């Protein structure tokens, strides 16, 4: 795992966007794993700008989102399908048929997780998985005690997550209490992981995720098991990391980061 500390949110988002841009240009039919949430809004705006102004082409790209609320149809403004269309898919030249989210209103909710896993497999697996982190330490909606080997399934959301996300609903009480989420095992199967974390309210959970012991109580610690993971953070989120100076040294000196230092 590598941790890269940027001076502020804008610089962190810019770097994440450049890494994704490079991956898309190198592999036009890339399979991207995508996340939602406030952290990703600026990142998607930057990718859309690169599409508009720098000819970043998504016409062959395929995407799989981490999660979706159970009970919300795609046209509901609180659904993650709506979020993705609004923040990214409607603003780039992706083929909507190549964009995938779990179906929160599937007729057979018990079969939906397996169906989603089959779709990912059918596309050859995820090349680059984008992750945020929730205040409960979740990745996707893998709340505490999610098995580190879990696959896509339904999950009951914790009070911490409900408090984090319900303000995003017009009526906070409308926020569903259950969601589909890729499992921790599904996420670890991705060939690369890119985590983006910003803001001081994430400092404590980020330090646990990156430097703490691996535990299903903090699902994000599972990324320590992944051989190709980069975590991009701003100074505020990095505040409680113990090895900051080491991480800075790596980014400033290792040849693989040279093109991204400019
Ligand atoms: C959503 C997801 C979540 C978020 C996390 C952080 O698809 O995967 O794990 O990344 O809840 O959300 P924000 O960015 O709103 O703090």
């Amino acid at each position: 795992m590598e941790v890269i500390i940027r001076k502020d949110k804008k610089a962190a988002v810019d770097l994440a966007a450049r890494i994704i841009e490079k991956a898309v240009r190198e592999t036009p039919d890339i399979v991207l794993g995508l996340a939602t949430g406030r952290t990703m809004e600026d990142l998607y705006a930057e990718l859309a700008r690169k599409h508009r102004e720098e000819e970043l082409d998504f016409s062959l790209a395929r995407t799989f989102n981490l999660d979706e609320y159970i009970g919300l149809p795609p046209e509901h403004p609180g659904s993650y399908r709506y979020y993705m269309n609004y923040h990214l898919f409607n603003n780039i030249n992706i083929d909507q048929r190549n964009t995938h989210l779990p179906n929160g209103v599937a007729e057979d909710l018990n079969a939906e997780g397996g169906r989603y896993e089959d779709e990912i497999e059918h596309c050859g697996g995820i090349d680059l998985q984008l992750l945020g982190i929730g205040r409960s330490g979740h990745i996707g909606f893998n709340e505490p005690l999610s098995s580190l080997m879990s696959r896509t399934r339904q999950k009951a959301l914790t009070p911490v997550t409900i408090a984090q996300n319900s303000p995003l609903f017009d009526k906070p009480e409308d926020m569903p209490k259950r969601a589909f989420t890729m499992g921790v095992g599904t996420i670890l199967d991705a060939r690369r992981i890119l985590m983006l974390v910003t803001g001081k309210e994430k400092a404590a959970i980020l330090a646990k995720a990156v430097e703490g012991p691996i535990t299903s109580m903090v699902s994000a610690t599972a990324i320590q098991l992944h051989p190709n993971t980069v975590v991009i953070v701003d100074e505020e989120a990095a505040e409680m990391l113990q090895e900051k100076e080491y991480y800075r040294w790596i980014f400033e000196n290792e040849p693989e980061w040279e093109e991204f230092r400019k």
Side-chain angles (χ1 to χ4, degrees):
M1 182 197 294
E2 286 201 29
V3 178
I4 301 178
I5 304 170
R6 306 275 67 203
K7 68 175 187 320
D8 54 24
K9 180 174 184 188
K10 180 172 183 320
V13 163
D14 280 358
L15 178 59
R18 286 172 68 194
I19 291 173
I20 295 169
E21 172 185 12
K22 185 176 183 214
V24 173
R25 291 198 197 275
E26 279 175 1
T27 310
D29 64 345
I30 192 166
V31 180
L32 290 171
L34 297 178
T36 59
R38 282 155 280 213
T39 314
M40 302 303 158
E41 291 177 9
D42 292 357
L43 174 63
Y44 293 149
E46 176 61 5
L47 290 175
R49 189 197 64 74
K50 285 178 185 291
H51 164 68
R52 265 193 329 273
E53 297 174 12
E54 295 167 15
E55 295 175 358
L56 183 57
D57 179 16
F58 290 90
S59 60
L60 299 177
R62 293 157 298 159
T63 66
F64 285 89
N65 266 79
L66 284 163
D67 39 22
E68 179 59 286
Y69 290 116
I70 291 177
L72 296 190
E75 59 281 4
H76 190 290
S79 76
Y80 283 166
R81 165 56 79 180
Y82 188 97
Y83 171 108
M84 289 309 302
N85 287 345
Y86 181 81
H87 288 287
L88 186 64
F89 300 151
N90 291 348
N91 311 324
I92 58 176
N93 64 333
I94 199 160
D95 183 338
Q96 277 277 349
R97 289 169 302 182
N98 289 336
T99 67
H100 307 268
L101 286 92
N103 180 359
V105 289
E107 241 171 63
D108 186 351
L109 291 176
N110 291 328
E112 177 58 14
R115 187 200 63 78
Y116 199 61
E117 292 277 333
D118 290 346
E119 268 193 317
I120 296 173
E121 202 186 315
H122 181 73
C123 284
I126 291 169
D127 293 309
L128 175 60
Q129 176 66 56
L130 183 62
L131 295 178
I133 187 172
R135 282 182 225 154
S136 69
H138 68 211
I139 46 177
F141 273 138
N142 290 287
E143 301 288 32
L145 289 189
S146 291
S147 159
L148 302 187
M149 299 179 77
S150 51
R151 312 301 306 185
T152 305
R153 69 214 183 288
Q154 303 179 48
K155 200 73 196 161
L157 303 175
T158 58
V160 173
T161 297
I162 293 168
Q164 176 192 292
N165 285 5
S166 57
L168 301 173
F169 285 75
D170 282 345
K171 289 191 214 145
E173 63 275 18
D174 282 354
M175 180 182 159
K177 308 293 182 286
R178 296 176 72 78
F180 280 113
T181 180
M182 279 186 202
V184 180
T186 320
I187 292 168
L188 293 180
D189 280 351
R191 286 181 268 279
R192 282 172 79 186
I193 289 179
L194 179 63
M195 180 180 262
L196 176 64
V197 185
T198 59
K200 57 180 181 309
E201 63 285 357
K202 298 285 176 67
I205 196 67
L206 176 78
K208 279 191 188 174
V210 169
E211 295 179 337
I214 295 172
T215 168
S216 60
M217 282 299 287
V218 181
S219 299
T221 59
I223 64 171
Q224 296 175 32
L225 296 166
H226 194 279
N228 193 354
T229 291
V230 173
V231 183
I232 301 176
V233 305
D234 64 359
E235 287 286 355
E236 286 187 2
E239 204 172 277
M240 295 172 81
L241 294 175
Q242 285 173 28
E243 297 293 341
K244 274 195 269 191
E245 295 319 312
Y246 174 60
Y247 308 146
R248 286 192 222 282
W249 189 91
I250 298 272
F251 185 67
E252 291 308 327
N253 292 282
E254 287 293 296
E256 70 165 301
W257 294 113
E258 194 177 339
E259 65 183 291
F260 294 106
R261 287 199 283 269
K262 293 174 225 128

